[in-house]
Amino acid sequence: MKYKSLLETTENTRDLGGYRILCGGHTRKTVILRSDIQKYPSKRDLEYLKKVKITTVIDMRSEENVSKSPSGFAGIDGFRYFNFPISEGSGIPESRAAVPHSYLKITEAPSMPNIFRCIANAENGVMINCTAGKDRTGVVTAILLLHAGVRKSDIISDYVVTKHYARGRIEAVRTSQPDVDIGIVIPCKEYIEKFFELFTRRYGDTDGYFGLIGLDKSESETLRRKLRGY
């Protein structure tokens, strides 16, 4: 199978649309995209995003990383760019067992309410990104799809397939940091399954999570409708 990013200047830009919803229908296409860092969007990329009305970009990289490697969408006419930094997930966890717990820490990040509120209030479609589009983006994606009513097995598949899209960055870690257990970096189903277990134990469900981080019921429902269309 060929794994091709939606943007020609990224490795890992994908659509959250097309997943079957348990109560009926499928998640809407080109409403929310997940991505790795976008440094130099091409003319084709910009035209595509404007065509499908993805005009809000949410960058979850740390302020330090953004300063060193600014997003190509900052200041571009026709797009609204936001940096809501999350420090957890910017580095490599100390062990495989630590990965799901690092994901739970991402849910607790001070920027999370801003991220979900921005998605809910965006006039058009939204693209979310971190560096590899794997951990921070993976957690936000999992919560959004779970909130929309997508089967956990499909959310797990969406997470695991990241290893094919992000293979360039994974291989770069293997080469540049040979002492690191590469299994920590490669997405596997056990990590996201354990995360779901921790998430449920901590928050109950996505409505409980959004309420705990400060979103009101209307914002929570808006997020659900964004992906469902109803």
Side-chain angles (χ1 to χ4, degrees):
M1 182 176 178
K2 190 173 183 180
Y3 301 94
K4 186 177 180 181
S5 176
L6 288 173
L7 301 184
E8 64 182 5
T9 54
T10 63
E11 287 186 346
N12 187 21
T13 303
R14 291 139 58 194
D15 196 344
L16 270 62
Y19 287 106
R20 192 174 75 179
I21 299 168
L22 288 169
C23 60
H26 294 78
T27 53
R28 298 167 64 203
K29 293 188 175 182
T30 59
V31 171
I32 302 176
L33 304 185
R34 57 175 296 170
S35 184
D36 51 336
I37 181 176
Q38 310 108 0
K39 292 183 182 179
Y40 311 107
S42 65
K43 180 180 178 181
R44 175 194 172 279
D45 288 345
L46 296 175
E47 288 175 348
Y48 166 75
L49 292 171
K50 287 181 179 180
K51 179 181 178 181
V52 299
K53 297 184 178 180
I54 298 286
T55 56
T56 295
V57 177
I58 297 174
D59 188 346
M60 297 179 285
R61 292 177 299 139
S62 68
E63 293 177 354
E64 181 182 1
N65 286 342
V66 170
S67 177
K68 290 179 179 178
S69 186
S71 169
F73 284 92
I76 289 190
D77 187 50
F79 292 90
R80 299 187 71 197
Y81 169 80
F82 300 90
N83 175 218
F84 297 128
I86 297 177
S87 58
E88 188 67 40
S90 60
I92 299 172
E94 61 184 17
S95 68
R96 298 188 188 198
V99 175
H101 295 276
S102 74
Y103 289 173
L104 189 67
K105 288 180 181 178
I106 290 171
T107 70
E108 302 165 354
S111 286
M112 289 297 260
N114 293 329
I115 291 166
F116 288 112
R117 191 168 281 124
C118 186
I119 295 171
N121 295 329
E123 183 179 358
N124 296 309
V126 179
M127 179 163 58
I128 57 175
N129 78 273
C130 52
T131 300
K134 179 174 71 72
D135 299 314
R136 289 163 286 187
T137 299
V139 168
V140 171
T141 293
I143 293 171
L144 287 170
L145 292 177
L146 193 64
H147 193 56
V150 175
R151 293 181 303 181
K152 282 186 179 179
S153 59
D154 287 336
I155 301 173
I156 291 167
S157 295
D158 179 81
Y159 168 78
V160 172
V161 78
T162 301
K163 66 184 178 183
H164 299 293
Y165 285 93
R167 61 188 178 277
R169 285 190 171 87
I170 291 171
E171 287 305 313
V173 172
R174 191 194 302 271
T175 301
S176 64
Q177 303 182 60
D179 295 334
V180 169
D181 177 2
I182 200 64
I184 299 172
V185 179
I186 298 173
C188 66
K189 61 181 289 188
E190 290 78 14
Y191 296 160
I192 197 72
E193 286 174 338
K194 181 63 176 179
F195 165 69
F196 280 140
E197 180 185 324
L198 295 171
F199 183 90
T200 301
R201 189 184 306 161
R202 177 72 182 273
Y203 304 110
D205 57 18
T206 52
D207 285 312
Y209 170 66
F210 288 132
L212 193 60
I213 66 171
L215 272 66
D216 60 36
K217 289 184 178 180
S218 65
E219 291 170 323
S220 178
E221 282 305 310
T222 299
L223 279 171
R224 187 176 276 121
R225 285 196 302 272
K226 280 242 175 177
L227 273 170
R228 283 185 178 181
Y230 61 88

